Amino acid sequence: MTTDSHYLPLINGEFTAFTDETFPAAEAATGKQLATITRSGKAEVNAAVAAAKAAFPAWAATPAAERARLLLKVADWLEENTARLVEIDARDIGRTVFELPQDYRQAIGQYRFFAAAILTHDGWNNVVPGGWAIAKREPYGVVGQIIPWNVPAIMVSFKLAPALAAGNTVVLKPDENASLSTMELGRYLAEIFPPGVVNIVPGFGEEAGAALTAHPDVAKLAFTGSSEVGRIIAHAGAARLVPVSLELGGKSPNIVFPDIEDMDAVVDNTAFAATFCNGQSCLAGTRLFVHDEIYPEFMAKLTDAFQRIQVGSPLDPATRLGCLISEKQGERVMQYVETGKNEANLVTGGQRVEVPGHEAGWFVAPTIFETTNNTRIAQEEIFGPVLSVIRWKDFDTMIHEANDVVYGLASGIYTSNLRNAMRTADRLEAGQVWVNQYVNLVDGSPFGGYKDSGLGREVCKETLDMYTQLKSVMLAEQVPPPFYV
Ligand code: NAI
Ligand code: MG
């Protein structure tokens, strides 16, 4: 794998820093150091924001078609470099080489979607008596963006593509656990964008992240991560009256009706829903509601499916479940597993798995608990391959329980009855409802959360509204006759 031994912040088109402090990018499965990265602090953030501020007027005035052309180049570069970046991510974060190419396909789709969408992102205008009414959409200025570690390529694309397409300049802080592929992308961004348009400040949340959210010249904030930090960002935005978009945690219900036709296929899709991304996804379908009538047969098949999921080295193409991002996350997940053993019925899994040669990695066996909706493991986001199964019989009770969590990001429904699907979809408090296929993400379809899962929508045309503000320009043909004289 070819990476640099050290990565510097990208500020004003250059790789530069004021500090010698660094932090390691470590291979998740082995603990081996892959590279060091500058630990950005206030000085780097201030310089990056100043560069973004200086670059803003020219970038905002750049024709949308030209901004789109550069985003299309980013997509092409990602396509050409996918194999290399997949290996970097697999080592850096422990996700599998089987799964990661899909992250890149999705990221590439985002750059292409927003390159196209910005060309049709019109304001409004009309001829009115005696003149014209024009509503223009204008970018905010410097956008501060903070992302998490679970799907770095996707997160970078969700943030950069719409913000840049709309004519904002950006200061992006990647997650301290997963910066490497973003820093690699940064080398290409520095080649093609005018200096200052995209700046990357790797570092820690309380340091670089806090400096970015507090900076008086940042005109909009966008964040993906835990609901806890989301609240901190929202407070920072409130203090300076700048808009904030948030994509936060989830504890999504996945509902199986008794009328499903192909049980094996549904079992497979629900197992995938709970364990893709090693369970470290805000979208994960972690509360599985299985109908009473089919419960015993479904559970037998599901248990078998979980036991067949191959756990191993992220770099082995046969592996379906790699390791968790870090020891901290591993301990957090295992604590929830212990809680589950006390409050629920452990069906399978429930232990750390040793993978020879990868002793530092936190591999967790795919785990199923039978429980009720009011337990901690059913209510709190675990972010590991841990599924809570809840047996249901009465439709209204099930709907009440499906909605009875603080989150509202995603949801799933399996049924052969279209009316059933639509009536259930109408009642779910969630930004996403997937019928018969979990994580069916399409470029352009709105993505975001109800309740504590966030504010705003990404991936869609409306995202461009989030990154622009409206200005009304009213033109009168002539000055009106005097009122007072
Ligand atoms: P986190 O929310 O602390 O980290 C996400 C990002 O926020 C990182 O870039 C971090 O540096 C930054 N950050 C942290 N504190 C900050 C602050 N005070 N000011 C500005 N930026 C700050 O998430 P963490 O601790 O890595 O994971 C904890 C839990 O959060 C996970 O177990 C999971 O439940 C949830 N989570 C949800 C994600 C999602 O996609 N919705 C992604 C990552 C975590
Ligand atoms: Mg790492």
Side-chain angles (χ1 to χ4, degrees), residues 283-305:
L283 295 172
T286 46
R287 290 183 301 139
L288 184 65
F289 289 82
V290 180
H291 193 271
D292 184 65
E293 260 173 46
I294 56 167
Y295 192 87
E297 191 189 353
F298 194 96
M299 282 305 280
K301 285 176 186 281
L302 186 70
T303 306
D304 183 51

Side-chain angles (χ1 to χ4, degrees), residues 52-263:
K53 191 179 178 187
F56 174 64
W59 182 245
T62 300
E66 170 62 11
R67 298 197 301 256
R69 188 181 70 84
L70 297 183
L71 291 176
L72 292 172
K73 288 184 75 151
V74 176
D76 289 347
W77 185 86
L78 286 170
E79 210 160 51
E80 282 155 27
N81 288 275
T82 294
R84 193 168 70 84
L85 295 165
V86 161
E87 191 189 338
I88 291 175
D89 277 340
R91 289 187 189 275
D92 191 20
I93 64 178
R95 300 259 317 284
T96 65
V97 294
F98 173 76
E99 194 176 70
L100 279 162
Q102 178 57 29
D103 285 39
Y104 280 88
R105 282 192 287 275
Q106 210 183 325
I108 290 161
Q110 286 299 296
Y111 295 101
R112 292 191 176 141
F113 174 79
F114 283 108
I118 193 60
L119 302 181
T120 64
H121 189 244
D122 300 325
W124 170 88
N125 62 74
N126 211 346
V127 180
V128 294
W132 295 267
I134 300 168
K136 295 176 66 192
R137 290 200 169 274
E138 296 190 341
Y140 278 101
V142 181
V143 176
Q145 302 181 319
I146 297 175
I147 56 172
W149 42 260
N150 52 346
V151 287
I154 294 175
M155 286 298 115
V156 172
S157 73
F158 277 21
K159 296 290 179 274
L160 290 188
L164 295 173
N168 299 282
T169 53
V170 171
V171 179
L172 173 79
K173 193 198 84 65
D175 191 289
E176 54 270 37
N177 298 289
S179 304
L180 215 46
S181 62
T182 309
M183 302 315 290
E184 272 292 311
L185 171 65
R187 299 183 353 166
Y188 182 64
L189 299 179
E191 279 175 30
I192 62 166
F193 283 95
V197 169
V198 193
N199 305 272
I200 304 176
V201 284
F204 290 78
E206 294 79 3
E207 234 169 37
L212 184 56
T213 53
H215 200 293
D217 288 336
V218 172
K220 176 187 162 50
L221 292 166
F223 171 78
T224 299
S226 63
S227 296
E228 188 192 348
V229 176
R231 281 199 171 81
I232 296 175
I233 308 283
H235 276 118
R240 294 196 297 104
L241 292 177
V242 300
V244 176
S245 46
L246 304 170
E247 198 266 283
L248 308 174
K251 192 76 188 179
S252 299
N254 203 8
I255 302 161
V256 184
F257 281 87
D259 66 2
I260 50 168
E261 272 162 25
D262 185 345
M263 189 182 287

